[in-house]
Amino acid sequence: MTLLVAEDLHKAFGPTPALVGAGLSIGAGEIVAIMGPSGSGKSTLLHCLAGILRPDRGTVRYQDVDLGSLSDGKRSELRRTEFGFVFQFGQLVPELTCLENVALPLRLAGLKRRDAESRAVEGLARLEVADVAGKRPGETSGGQGQRVAVARALVTSPKVIFADEPTGALDSLNGERVMTLFLGAVRASGTAVVLVTHEPRVAAYADREVVVRDGRSREVERAG
Amino acid sequence: MSLGHALLGLLERGPGHGYDLKKAYDDRFGQDRPLHYGQVYTTLSRLLRNGLVQEAGVEAGAGPERKRYAITDAGVTDVETWLATPEKPEPYLQNTLYTKVVLALLSGRAAAGVLDSQRAAHLDAMRVLTRRKTDGDLADQLICDYALFHLEADLRWLELTADRLDQLAERIGR
């Protein structure tokens, strides 16, 4: 089943074109890597797919709903309920503990503190960072912080997680650890992932890759 | 890979039969390519001839040769020297991919296509290794990582070359 389809996306920032006819389609539970050099437009593509940016031209449809037809309020509700996000860094609220950070999306969705925190505890345990529950993000290592961020992205049981260079700030070993736990968790829950990365070793965790070059995307033909 | 040194290294833990050695080698280093018995016995007789191992009794019983081998002092020294000598880094100066790209350009064919299909084949191989690593133990992880880092290096080269194809075509055209 196709979950998310983007067609003929164009987006410019001032005179600089970032996307000039990019598109891709993602099935439920599918893990797709978006690859390409810096400045190729891969992050812009991710932001358009996730409804963070409005393309100048082209459509993004999520479960047959055209994101362009939704009001800002409806789009941000969709992001909160159906999507999860993992970025390179700086995504956790520094004043809250890791547990409170993971529980936050559930609290925003109206869950009682106790229920939200008990699900957050499970999420932290699944990413093997239960021991940092009471610490603030600044008191954790980079790898632990990223695993907390993944737990937070997963806690609302989203249909799609958008991950932009999730291991970009980590050394090889911690990057591997984050990817293994992240991918184990999404495969178990059937969550689709759009993974932006310029690292082939990270892209190799995905089911297939889409290459973005000069604002155009290309689904890669399978060899053999 | 020097099979002789690997077998000597395995014999340092204690004497063993050819069969034990083959099994120990296959478990640790064989991966997709288990040793042939012939290779093991040929290598052991060479080591014996060179005084790096000695016979340590013959076991009665059915089946193939039941001779046991033990490492000698000279064998231990040989392993030590081998471990302490760095492997010569591969120069990597002759490579098929570069040759294909240049020949595609020279013959007016689509060199970008050569790079793209190679890139897809590399990533497919990386996905297989990543899955094997994810399901495997630490030994699998380290062996697969070694292969993954090498494939990744190729991929980086493929990307860099894709970005410089026009330049290369210009130079070659001269």
Side-chain angles (χ1 to χ4, degrees), chain B residues 12 22 27 45 49 69 88 113:
Chain B
E12 274 201 293
K22 173 189 153 43
D27 286 350
S45 28
R49 212 167 46 237
Y69 296 88
K88 191 165 184 282

mmCIF file of all heavy atoms in Angstrom, chain B residues 12 22 27 45 49 69 88 113:
data_model
loop_
_atom_site.group_PDB
_atom_site.id
_atom_site.type_symbol
_atom_site.label_atom_id
_atom_site.label_comp_id
_atom_site.label_asym_id
_atom_site.label_seq_id
_atom_site.Cartn_x
_atom_site.Cartn_y
_atom_site.Cartn_z
ATOM 1 N N GLU B 12 48.744 -22.759 18.185
ATOM 2 C CA GLU B 12 49.374 -22.243 19.410
ATOM 3 C C GLU B 12 48.516 -22.534 20.640
ATOM 4 O O GLU B 12 49.016 -22.579 21.756
ATOM 5 C CB GLU B 12 49.598 -20.731 19.297
ATOM 6 C CG GLU B 12 50.904 -20.379 18.623
ATOM 7 C CD GLU B 12 51.353 -18.972 18.967
ATOM 8 O OE1 GLU B 12 50.654 -18.042 18.538
ATOM 9 O OE2 GLU B 12 52.364 -18.825 19.671
ATOM 10 N N LYS B 22 40.790 -27.372 10.327
ATOM 11 C CA LYS B 22 39.882 -26.909 9.271
ATOM 12 C C LYS B 22 38.613 -26.331 9.892
ATOM 13 O O LYS B 22 38.142 -25.273 9.513
ATOM 14 C CB LYS B 22 39.516 -28.059 8.326
ATOM 15 C CG LYS B 22 38.433 -27.649 7.326
ATOM 16 C CD LYS B 22 37.903 -28.795 6.520
ATOM 17 C CE LYS B 22 36.455 -28.588 6.038
ATOM 18 N NZ LYS B 22 36.104 -27.267 5.525
ATOM 19 N N ASP B 27 35.191 -21.837 11.125
ATOM 20 C CA ASP B 27 34.323 -21.145 12.080
ATOM 21 C C ASP B 27 34.710 -19.680 12.215
ATOM 22 O O ASP B 27 33.871 -18.794 12.292
ATOM 23 C CB ASP B 27 34.411 -21.799 13.465
ATOM 24 C CG ASP B 27 33.658 -23.125 13.491
ATOM 25 O OD1 ASP B 27 32.945 -23.404 12.500
ATOM 26 O OD2 ASP B 27 33.793 -23.873 14.481
ATOM 27 N N SER B 45 51.757 -30.378 5.694
ATOM 28 C CA SER B 45 52.994 -31.108 5.356
ATOM 29 C C SER B 45 54.123 -30.122 5.058
ATOM 30 O O SER B 45 55.281 -30.393 5.360
ATOM 31 C CB SER B 45 52.816 -32.127 4.230
ATOM 32 O OG SER B 45 51.814 -31.754 3.376
ATOM 33 N N ARG B 49 57.595 -30.040 7.028
ATOM 34 C CA ARG B 49 58.866 -30.076 6.309
ATOM 35 C C ARG B 49 59.769 -28.932 6.773
ATOM 36 O O ARG B 49 60.969 -29.069 6.920
ATOM 37 C CB ARG B 49 58.584 -29.935 4.813
ATOM 38 C CG ARG B 49 59.552 -30.672 3.925
ATOM 39 C CD ARG B 49 59.062 -30.766 2.487
ATOM 40 N NE ARG B 49 58.536 -29.525 1.948
ATOM 41 C CZ ARG B 49 57.309 -29.380 1.440
ATOM 42 N NH1 ARG B 49 56.471 -30.405 1.434
ATOM 43 N NH2 ARG B 49 56.908 -28.239 0.941
ATOM 44 N N TYR B 69 49.081 -32.622 15.229
ATOM 45 C CA TYR B 69 50.212 -31.741 14.980
ATOM 46 C C TYR B 69 50.363 -30.767 16.147
ATOM 47 O O TYR B 69 49.365 -30.320 16.724
ATOM 48 C CB TYR B 69 50.004 -30.933 13.695
ATOM 49 C CG TYR B 69 49.954 -31.799 12.459
ATOM 50 C CD1 TYR B 69 48.747 -32.353 12.024
ATOM 51 C CD2 TYR B 69 51.114 -32.072 11.743
ATOM 52 C CE1 TYR B 69 48.693 -33.144 10.901
ATOM 53 C CE2 TYR B 69 51.074 -32.870 10.619
ATOM 54 C CZ TYR B 69 49.851 -33.409 10.188
ATOM 55 O OH TYR B 69 49.813 -34.209 9.083
ATOM 56 N N LYS B 88 51.133 -5.163 3.694
ATOM 57 C CA LYS B 88 51.401 -4.094 2.740
ATOM 58 C C LYS B 88 50.067 -3.497 2.292
ATOM 59 O O LYS B 88 49.188 -4.225 1.826
ATOM 60 C CB LYS B 88 52.126 -4.682 1.532
ATOM 61 C CG LYS B 88 52.692 -3.656 0.586
ATOM 62 C CD LYS B 88 53.692 -4.338 -0.347
ATOM 63 C CE LYS B 88 54.359 -3.336 -1.256
ATOM 64 N NZ LYS B 88 53.516 -2.922 -2.364
ATOM 65 N N GLY B 113 25.924 6.147 -16.816
ATOM 66 C CA GLY B 113 25.185 4.907 -16.638
ATOM 67 C C GLY B 113 26.046 3.817 -16.018
ATOM 68 O O GLY B 113 25.584 3.041 -15.177
#
